[in-house]
Amino acid sequence: MAGEGNQDSRDKSNPTEAYTVRDPERFALNLARALEEAGKAAAVWVRAREAGAGLTGVPEPFGEAVRTLSKLTEYWLSDSGRALEAQTKLLSAYMMIWANSIRRLSGEQPSASVIEPERGDRRFEDPEWARNAFFDFLKQVYLVTARWAADLVESAEGLDENARQKARFYVRQLSEALSPSNFIFTNPQLLRETLESDGDNLVRGMRMLTEDLIAGKGELKLRQSDHSKFELGRNIATTPGKVVARNDLAEIIQYEPSTETVSRRPLMIVPPWINKFYVLDLNPERSFIRWAIDQGHTVFVISWVNPDERHAAYGWDEYVRDGIEFALDTIARQTGERQVNAIGYCVGGTLLAAALALIAQEQDDRITSATFFASQVDFTFAGDLKVFVDEGQIAALEKAMQERGFLEGNRMASAFNMLRARDLIWSYVVNNYLRGREPLPFDLLYWNADATRLTAANHSYYLRNCYLENNLAKGFATLRGRRLSLADVKVPVYNLATLEDHIAPAKSVLFGSRLLGGPVELVIAGSGHIAGVVNPPAMGKYRFWTAQGLADSLDEWMSKAQEHPGSWWPHWQSWIADFSGGRVKARKLGRRKKWLGDAPGEYVRISQ
């Protein structure tokens, strides 16, 4: 290719050579093609809104962000002395950066950088961010401004804690959106690639943008993985098993044993319904389900249906009755064992805790131990998701859900992505639409994009009784007409938190542990909500901490905790062995015609 030859022949030692147009005619043609593709993307977006899509009354983050940041601005501008002090601090930093840049351009040795990116910030890894005076200037101005804005939030004495949390969140969103790494002419790597390819990358990127808007029916369905490389049951969610029961809400999957003997008490897993269960069965190397089977557990998993209009009135009563209790009945029928050990993940753990409080009142002792993975029962310190929860936002959401009976899955997926916008939004915007590159195949991000709908009754109950009013922790939440008290949960609990969790913060999990009425083994793992949980021992990654008893604060608990290398999975296995009930012959599924299908079942395949 002639273009490739020209690119290879460039003088890489000449800094201006990398930032010149190679073929002006071809570059202009590709810009026109990119604009044409962008026009198609805009047309998809406009047509969807003309047809009513995206106008469901669901509160958009933009309006809430404006209201929140207006309060912050009002605080700083209401006092001229305070405003002047803030402006002086920022301008002083700018002047230091400017002075350094002048020295550099004059051939003098500049002073040390005013600011450096935080450790792990991959946006500024390209050497040109430090080597090139222009890009170094942009980088430092941006970082100083972002830090200054964050400091404004922390120093605003006029904000209550709820308003401060919202301001902190939205300032971070704005700062990350305005990063110079997100724009072609202010990102050296993007600019080089655009010029070296004569704009081919923009044509590919705008074409992908159109495709993603079409896939999202007018909403941007940001692709984070190459979905074509995965197929459920073929190379993801492959652990052998059978669907042994099904109702309108859930399928119950029983997995084939891999050992000659198994624990007497089966293991029941209650996954979240906000996304699909196979996060615990991504591939054989990272599957918690397969690993638990190899430890001798007879594993049963609830696979929730991806609901539609028919499920609008299904709330927590139904999810307990037709999910958890349906699974308990199925396990008893399949194994002859009445008692089980149970695991709940994320909101599945919250539901499990509520069910345990309910069945304790009803003197149902079928669950003998409970394990919670990154689950909250006290939402006082519930993290950034509380930003989306107040009376006004919930009321608008409930009104929107009444129209169809459910909340579209992409709404929750977008909220979760915003918690880590730098990694889960902007890095893919840059890679996909500006660099024009398909994302790599990654099973975890394939699962992350496989969103599920949420029933109106279920989601409303969850938001009000957990996030907004914290009724589950306060003892005011009800199921089947009974008020729930977490103190009634007397079974032994293994409560796993993760140190960098943005969804179920470790502090929140610790405080929830203190509400349970039985013995609690609190364990904190490294990494976040998914990677900290899905961390097989063979990978040798991260760490975990254990300590005797609980504490009044996370810092106090960590100060007395013992650090352990690697995965927490073997530690959990040692803990749960005390509740296994001994060993029995493995329960093989065999070939029986009444099985309803192979794992991972039908419900998990229902897409948006």
Side-chain angles (χ1 to χ4, degrees), residues 368-409:
T368 59
S369 79
T371 297
F372 299 130
F373 295 166
S375 302
Q376 299 177 95
V377 294
D378 184 337
F379 288 73
T380 305
F381 304 103
D384 284 339
L385 279 177
K386 291 187 76 172
V387 167
F388 303 106
V389 180
D390 56 40
E391 181 59 45
Q393 292 186 85
I394 291 180
L397 192 63
E398 288 172 334
K399 181 180 179 181
M401 290 191 295
Q402 286 174 3
E403 297 178 10
R404 299 189 66 184
F406 58 83
L407 178 69
E408 290 285 0

Side-chain angles (χ1 to χ4, degrees), residues 447-459:
W447 165 84
N448 188 57
D450 193 7
T452 57
R453 296 179 287 268
L454 308 172
T455 75
N458 185 327
H459 201 46

Side-chain angles (χ1 to χ4, degrees), residues 249-251 270-273 302-306 319 323-324 351 603-604:
L249 186 62
E251 291 180 330
V270 185
W273 55 83
I302 299 172
S303 175
W304 304 106
V305 73
N306 194 350
Y319 273 72
I324 292 176
L351 179 72
Y603 283 177
V604 76

Side-chain angles (χ1 to χ4, degrees), residues 214-231:
I214 292 172
K217 301 175 182 177
E219 299 286 342
L220 182 61
K221 188 173 183 180
L222 184 65
R223 68 181 86 178
Q224 299 170 323
S225 175
D226 183 353
H227 295 183
S228 67
K229 298 296 189 294
F230 298 104
E231 181 183 342

Side-chain angles (χ1 to χ4, degrees), residues 1 6 8 17 28 37 53 98 104 115 118 155 159 179 238 302 325 334 397-398 413 435 440 450 460 478 489 519 524:
M1 295 285 291
N6 289 342
D8 292 340
E17 183 79 10
E37 292 293 338
W98 177 254
R104 186 170 184 170
I115 190 170
E118 295 178 356
S155 304
L159 299 180
S179 170
T238 61
I302 299 172
E325 292 181 334
Q334 290 296 120
L397 192 63
E398 288 172 334
R435 300 183 73 188
L440 297 173
D450 193 7
S460 178
T478 62
V489 179
I524 296 182

Side-chain angles (χ1 to χ4, degrees), residues 289-310:
I289 289 173
R290 185 181 292 262
W291 183 87
I293 292 167
D294 290 342
Q295 309 313 302
H297 294 283
T298 303
V299 177
F300 290 80
V301 172
I302 299 172
S303 175
W304 304 106
V305 73
N306 194 350
D308 54 33
E309 293 87 348
R310 298 167 299 167

Side-chain angles (χ1 to χ4, degrees), residues 327-516:
L328 290 171
D329 293 341
T330 301
I331 292 169
R333 185 178 66 249
Q334 290 296 120
T335 67
E337 292 294 331
R338 183 174 171 277
Q339 293 188 316
V340 307
N341 295 310
I343 292 176
Y345 192 174
C346 187
V347 69
T350 309
L351 179 72
L352 177 60
L356 285 167
L358 172 67
I359 64 178
Q361 290 189 42
E362 297 175 344
Q363 298 183 334
D364 183 340
D365 63 352
R366 287 182 289 176
I367 298 176
T368 59
S369 79
T371 297
F372 299 130
F373 295 166
S375 302
Q376 299 177 95
V377 294
D378 184 337
F379 288 73
T380 305
F381 304 103
D384 284 339
L385 279 177
K386 291 187 76 172
V387 167
F388 303 106
V389 180
D390 56 40
E391 181 59 45
Q393 292 186 85
I394 291 180
L397 192 63
E398 288 172 334
K399 181 180 179 181
M401 290 191 295
Q402 286 174 3
E403 297 178 10
R404 299 189 66 184
F406 58 83
L407 178 69
E408 290 285 0
N410 62 353
R411 295 290 180 174
M412 282 301 296
S414 296
F416 286 131
N417 285 341
M418 287 179 72
L419 299 183
R420 293 178 53 209
R422 182 188 303 175
D423 297 325
L424 295 180
I425 297 178
W426 295 111
S427 66
Y428 291 100
V429 168
V430 170
N431 182 76
N432 298 1
Y433 309 136
L434 299 182
R435 300 183 73 188
R437 296 187 176 187
E438 287 274 0
L440 297 173
F442 186 18
D443 53 9
L444 184 57
L445 290 176
Y446 171 85
W447 165 84
N448 188 57
D450 193 7
T452 57
R453 296 179 287 268
L454 308 172
T455 75
N458 185 327
H459 201 46
S460 178
Y461 184 99
Y462 177 48
L463 293 179
R464 289 193 173 278
N465 285 279
C466 295
Y467 276 96
L468 183 63
E469 299 167 4
N470 206 16
N471 285 335
L472 182 59
K474 295 175 180 177
F476 297 138
T478 62
L479 287 175
R480 290 207 280 254
R482 294 176 180 265
R483 276 181 56 171
L484 306 178
S485 172
L486 293 171
D488 291 337
V489 179
K490 306 293 187 183
V491 300
V493 167
Y494 187 99
N495 208 1
L496 178 80
T498 58
L499 200 58
E500 301 169 20
D501 199 330
H502 297 277
I503 297 171
K507 181 179 181 180
S508 183
V509 175
L510 166 63
F511 275 71
S513 298
R514 303 191 307 177
L515 300 177
L516 302 171

